[in-house]
Amino acid sequence: MSLPELPPAALRLDVDRDALAANWRTLDALSGQAAAGAAVKANAYGLGVPVVVPVLRDAGCRSFFVAHWREVAAVAEHVPASAISVLHGPLTAADAAYAKALGVKPVINSVPQARLWLDAGGGRCHLMVDTGMNRLGLPMAELGDDTIARLEIDVLLSHLASADEDVALNEVQRGRWEEARRAVAHRRASLANSAGIALGAAYHGDLTRPGLALYGGIPRAELSDRLAQVARPMAAILQVREVAAGDTLGYNATFTAPAPMRVGTIALGYADGYLRCWSGKGIMLSQGRRLPVLGRVSMDMTIIDLSAAPDLREGDWVEAEYEPVAAAAQSGLSQYELFTLLGARFGR
Ligand SMILES: *Cc1c(COP(=O)(O)O)cnc(C)c1O
């Protein structure tokens, strides 16, 4: 049976491609001698691999990082497999065989992962060294391991735990990363995520790995004037109604109209990542006018105040105010969560 064409989505994520490309170029320039890659894990932080990866590729990006093996295929539709690295590394022989078959580079995080890779035939790979985060990566004490010595390492990586803060741990980690560079043969070295880029040339090595800042997130104040907002969640108005003074709105009647007012119900809810923390707090925008969220955010819908926009009708669109720094402060969510929450129902 052939299905009719899908009707347009009532929810879409507008991705500003020019802003995305400009952010990458800015981060590449700020990376000095190093080239900027891109973290595109978690569906490019929720913005959508099919939109984001071609833009970054065309801007000049040549290294793409995902976390899971299952994330490789979508990225490989747009860039050569050899440009893709898988941060989690091979957990099973099937992972290593998949990497070999496709030509994707695994990030080796441990001696057992190095063995899996060598058993699958080996070849160029990356090595993640844990310099103080104690999350994923080869412990410093194992740098001299015989199995590690047999790897053909392209990029020697480490990851900063607190690059968004000015703390002693940054220099401790950088020192250990330098030590690892002296201990293990490799072609290139990489340490900095978005925030790490702002820590200066000593943190850049040969390759940086921004994620958040590409998408308009601001992990450190130094970057705030240099990056543009990329993602704008947009929702259609499903219904408009006039309510009387004393009427209550939404689940658990948490909002009572103080006067007659015109309200709209939009096709955006917590199942889309617009969490209940925005209840009575979020703002929708229409031509510069601010339309506050009234009452509780529901699973698929949110009610907003249309007093400031009397012209808006069913089928019109509003934009969720989602400037990352302000939105994080207001919602209590991290900028990372704000992006990665944006759900599958958004047209991208
Ligand atoms: C996610 C990730 C990045 C990107 O970090 P941002 O803070 O988003 O720039 C870089 N490196 C590794 C290992 C990561 O897991």
Side-chain angles (χ1 to χ4, degrees):
M1 188 182 95
S2 79
L3 295 169
E5 207 173 308
L6 285 173
L11 190 58
R12 65 167 202 264
L13 189 64
D14 282 357
V15 174
D16 184 334
R17 291 164 169 79
D18 294 337
L20 175 62
N23 286 350
W24 184 82
R25 282 192 220 99
T26 296
L27 292 160
D28 189 53
L30 287 172
S31 298
Q33 295 298 307
V40 295
K41 59 200 183 187
N43 196 25
Y45 286 40
L47 275 64
V49 159
V51 181
V52 166
V53 171
V55 170
L56 296 178
R57 176 200 62 204
D58 294 347
C61 182
R62 295 291 172 263
S63 300
F64 297 85
F65 292 88
V66 295
H68 287 253
W69 293 97
R70 287 290 177 117
E71 296 182 304
V72 168
V75 179
E77 286 191 26
H78 308 286
V79 298
S82 60
I84 304 172
S85 309
V86 180
L87 290 163
H88 283 184
L91 189 60
T92 64
D95 293 338
Y98 181 78
K100 280 298 280 183
L102 214 61
V104 174
K105 295 216 189 76
V107 176
I108 301 300
N109 292 287
S110 66
V111 171
Q113 287 199 349
R115 270 193 215 106
L116 271 177
W117 181 238
L118 292 167
D119 288 349
R124 281 272 163 217
C125 63
H126 306 313
L127 179 70
M128 171 69 80
V129 179
D130 194 304
T131 54
M133 193 163 182
N134 289 304
R135 187 179 64 169
L136 186 62
L138 188 77
M140 291 292 290
E142 296 176 21
L143 285 172
D145 185 276
D146 295 342
T147 311
I148 298 299
R150 290 169 54 209
L151 295 174
E152 289 173 58
I153 300 166
D154 178 359
V155 182
L156 185 148
L157 306 87
S158 191
H159 190 54
L160 297 164
S162 307
D164 56 343
E165 297 179 287
D166 291 312
V167 291
L169 183 57
N170 291 328
E171 270 300 285
V172 169
Q173 288 199 264
R174 193 182 68 75
R176 289 178 185 153
W177 172 67
E178 298 282 5
E179 191 184 327
R181 289 171 73 175
R182 289 190 293 271
V184 181
H186 61 283
R187 270 191 186 164
R188 300 181 288 164
S190 175
L191 178 63
N193 60 348
S194 299
I197 291 172
L199 294 179
Y203 287 78
H204 294 163
D206 304 297
L207 176 69
T208 59
R209 310 186 305 271
L212 185 76
L214 291 172
Y215 310 117
I218 312 285
R220 289 184 65 95
E222 295 95 316
L223 297 172
S224 65
D225 296 335
R226 320 192 62 148
L227 302 167
Q229 186 175 350
V230 172
R232 292 191 159 78
M234 307 286 300
I237 298 173
L238 298 171
Q239 193 174 27
V240 172
R241 62 171 16 92
E242 308 282 345
V243 297
D247 282 354
T248 60
L249 272 55
Y251 279 122
N252 306 104
T254 60
F255 179 84
T256 304
M261 56 197 296
R262 195 163 165 275
V263 304
T265 301
I266 62 172
L268 168 67
Y270 62 75
D272 305 302
Y274 197 71
L275 300 189
R276 293 214 320 180
C277 59
W278 293 110
S279 299
K281 228 192 233 184
I283 301 285
M284 299 294 143
L285 303 168
S286 170
Q287 297 169 336
R289 298 168 300 189
R290 300 170 66 75
L291 314 173
V293 168
L294 302 175
R296 289 249 160 98
V297 172
S298 311
M299 186 184 292
D300 318 302
M301 289 175 274
T302 296
I303 305 169
I304 61 173
D305 184 354
L306 293 181
S307 305
D311 54 304
L312 289 183
R313 302 274 177 274
E314 278 100 354
D316 287 340
W317 289 77
V318 295
E319 173 186 339
E321 189 175 60
Y322 223 67
E323 188 284 311
V325 175
Q330 231 191 334
S331 63
L333 299 168
S334 72
Q335 295 179 54
Y336 295 87
E337 289 169 299
L338 286 170
F339 289 131
T340 56
L341 280 165
L342 297 172
R345 290 194 298 200
F346 279 95
R348 287 174 168 87

